[in-house]
Amino acid sequence: MIEKLIVEKFGPIKKMELDLSKILILIGPQSVGKSTIAKLVAILRDFSFVLRIETFEEALEKYGIQTYLRDDSFIKYKSEGYSFVYQNGRGRMTTNKNHQLNRLMAEFANFEKENPRPSLPEHKEKIQKDLNELSTDIEMLTENSEKGKTMEEIKKSLDQLKFESKLLDQREEYKDKILTGIFKYINYSVYIPAERI
């Protein structure tokens, strides 16, 4: 399936329809919207945008084209796995129900729902802090057995922290597996601005 981009009333672009391929070269006079198109393609193919980590408006701001968006702007992007339409001042992303990307996106959303913040790295940081405190308890115990926790309490805490750490590693591996699967179905693009003299 061919990727398609339709843009109307967005910045310098009055009306434009474009079939996209892996390599896109835009040639034309200054100020007709070549960079605008390239930026839109990069946004609509961006991992953060597709995963809804970043809104369309945030992505436009990142590329400095947020002022191009008007209430009567129309943008339609369609790929094999997903599509995006901006119309009447609102944007909507949909995934193709029959495509593998749809299942992976649902799996990712479910993972995020079941693993609320603090994020996995922050949780691992907490476990490391707890392990450091346990090390201090062990040192205190060897110096003076009346201070700190008993050896049995320390062993129990240590086993619990090891279990939590292993569980977090498994969750991170699972999340990475989902994201790798999603990435297969996104035609990632990089916007490289041309130098002007």
Side-chain angles (χ1 to χ4, degrees), residues 14-185:
K14 304 294 179 243
K15 188 172 185 175
M16 182 249 13
E17 189 170 320
L18 185 65
D19 290 330
L20 303 171
S21 60
K22 281 195 177 241
I23 297 173
L24 176 64
I25 300 171
L26 302 169
I27 300 169
Q30 268 189 320
S31 303
V32 294
K34 297 180 305 292
S35 294
T36 302
I37 292 167
K39 290 174 184 179
L40 276 175
V41 170
I43 289 167
L44 296 166
R45 289 178 167 179
D46 189 272
F47 204 63
S48 294
F49 174 69
V50 176
L51 285 175
R52 298 173 177 104
I53 295 168
E54 184 175 64
T55 66
F56 185 59
E57 289 79 5
E58 288 169 339
L60 293 175
E61 190 170 341
K62 183 171 73 177
Y63 283 95
I65 56 173
Q66 70 276 11
T67 57
Y68 292 1
L69 194 62
R70 306 180 331 210
D71 287 340
D72 63 345
S73 293
F74 176 79
I75 299 167
K76 182 177 182 179
Y77 170 80
K78 187 165 177 65
S79 72
E80 189 176 323
Y82 66 97
S83 59
F84 174 78
V85 176
Y86 184 91
Q87 190 173 18
N88 300 324
R90 302 181 85 159
R92 193 172 129 232
M93 168 90 71
T94 54
T95 52
N96 179 343
K97 302 264 187 264
N98 300 320
H99 196 276
Q100 177 70 3
L101 180 63
N102 188 55
R103 184 191 63 78
L104 289 165
M105 294 282 283
E107 203 172 330
F108 180 74
N110 191 43
F111 177 87
E112 290 287 285
K113 184 180 174 185
E114 289 177 2
N115 295 281
R117 305 293 180 236
S119 68
L120 296 177
E122 289 170 348
H123 199 135
K124 280 188 114 170
E125 217 175 273
K126 181 195 175 303
I127 289 174
Q128 188 58 50
K129 184 181 172 203
D130 290 347
L131 282 170
N132 291 340
E133 287 176 10
L134 273 179
S135 295
T136 304
D137 286 341
I138 291 169
E139 287 172 19
M140 287 177 62
L141 189 63
T142 54
E143 286 175 15
N144 184 351
S145 61
E146 293 178 17
K147 292 183 179 177
K149 298 178 179 178
T150 66
M151 191 56 93
E152 193 171 311
E153 289 174 321
I154 290 172
K155 186 179 178 331
K156 190 176 179 183
S157 296
L158 192 55
D159 288 344
Q160 179 63 33
L161 288 172
K162 283 180 183 176
F163 173 75
E164 285 182 35
S165 182
K166 187 177 179 181
L167 198 60
L168 286 174
D169 286 341
Q170 289 171 348
R171 286 182 187 159
E172 280 186 1
E173 286 173 21
Y174 178 65
K175 182 178 181 179
D176 288 345
K177 184 179 174 186
I178 297 170
L179 293 176
T180 300
I182 290 171
F183 197 69
K184 287 180 193 174
Y185 300 109

